[in-house]
Amino acid sequence: KNQVEQSPQSLIILEGKNCTLQCNYTVSPFSNLRWYKQDTGRGPVSLTIMTFSENTKSNGRYTATLDADTKQSSLHITASQLSDSASYICVVSLTSNFGNEKLTFGTGTRLTIIP
Amino acid sequence: NAGVTQTPKFRILKIGQSMTLQCAQDMNHNYMYWYRQDPGMGLKLIYYSVGAGITDKGEVPNGYNVSRSTTEDFPLRLELAAPSQTSVYFCASSYSRQGAFLNIQYFGAGTRLSVL
């Protein structure tokens, strides 16, 4: 069964600190892996997309890594800010025909930044 | 830029009632999607559409219907609401072209539905 598991479920850190969120997946055949940020009461917003040939991708203070051999990904947040408080969702895509991607969503890590 | 607009934001239904969740996008995207997000669960795909007049079932289509008469609009219909349909519903859209599959999905703000 294709699954995406994220850890921890929730995390609280002080403003200015760094943190790393984990994602393990069993989705096969793998196409690409995405990280989304979901603010409370809002829809998910894409942060990064990585194919199997990429092992790191940055978007400002967000850096995602991918190890396709061990089927693990991480999202590292540097110098956290209060606005980083959100849920972070790992999404894995199955190899697809033209356009019809099958996305498997993780349950997310709820990150809270405290001043 | 409005992006993906969903209405209403909140709704309470009684068991057996029907309603339509509206979704509109102004980005000229060909693909549109409906997801539901239950507490502690990942998003699940209900229906999707690859273009006007074309729709297909996702992972959890039972109890729902969709139509896509225009590129911009993709309404989701609940005919006989049940408590199991209490959830947050997200509409998304993306642009996909031949040979490309890294299409970014843009999500609306969601509709929170309670069926009592």
Side-chain angles (χ1 to χ4, degrees), chain B residues 34-63:
Chain B
W34 273 106
Y35 293 91
R36 60 178 287 172
Q37 186 177 36
D38 299 322
M41 304 289 288
L43 274 75
K44 300 290 186 186
L45 182 64
I46 304 172
Y47 271 96
Y48 68 98
S49 169
V50 303
I54 306 170
T55 63
D56 205 351
K57 295 178 180 179
E59 204 176 341
V60 289
N62 291 342

Side-chain angles (χ1 to χ4, degrees), chain B residues 2-17:
Chain B
V4 178
T5 303
Q6 292 185 236
T7 55
K9 294 191 186 306
F10 305 95
R11 184 72 184 268
I12 298 175
L13 284 181
K14 294 182 179 178
I15 295 172
Q17 287 185 322

Side-chain angles (χ1 to χ4, degrees), chain A:
Chain A
K1 182 179 177 181
N2 292 319
Q3 287 187 316
V4 177
E5 296 184 352
Q6 294 187 240
S7 62
Q9 281 189 323
S10 61
L11 181 63
I12 301 173
I13 64 171
L14 289 173
E15 184 180 10
K17 297 296 186 182
N18 303 336
C19 67
T20 300
L21 313 180
Q22 301 291 342
C23 174
N24 295 338
Y25 62 93
T26 59
V27 173
S28 180
F30 172 83
S31 172
N32 58 78
L33 185 144
R34 307 146 185 247
W35 283 94
Y36 280 85
K37 178 186 180 187
Q38 185 176 18
D39 292 316
T40 300
R42 309 290 294 178
V45 174
S46 179
L47 292 175
T48 63
I49 299 180
M50 290 181 292
T51 66
F52 63 88
S53 62
E54 298 175 288
N55 54 25
T56 188
K57 181 80 64 89
S58 291
N59 178 357
R61 294 179 296 101
Y62 301 101
T63 299
T65 64
L66 173 64
D67 186 334
D69 291 331
T70 62
K71 299 186 177 180
Q72 296 180 324
S73 176
S74 65
L75 181 69
H76 186 74
I77 304 175
T78 303
S80 60
Q81 300 176 358
L82 297 179
S83 60
D84 292 331
S85 293
S87 287
Y88 292 84
I89 303 172
C90 177
V91 185
V92 180
S93 171
L94 293 174
T95 300
S96 66
N97 298 324
F98 155 54
N100 294 346
E101 293 200 79
K102 304 297 184 185
L103 302 183
T104 301
F105 289 76
T107 56
T109 291
R110 178 68 204 176
L111 176 64
T112 302
I113 311 297
I114 56 176

Side-chain angles (χ1 to χ4, degrees), chain A residues 96-101, chain B residues 28-31 33 50 94-104 106:
Chain A
S96 66
N97 298 324
F98 155 54
N100 294 346
E101 293 200 79
Chain B
N28 202 30
H29 286 169
N30 50 351
Y31 279 58
Y33 316 80
V50 303
S94 66
Y95 177 71
S96 296
R97 60 188 186 277
Q98 185 96 26
F101 46 85
L102 294 178
N103 51 331
I104 297 174
Y106 295 84

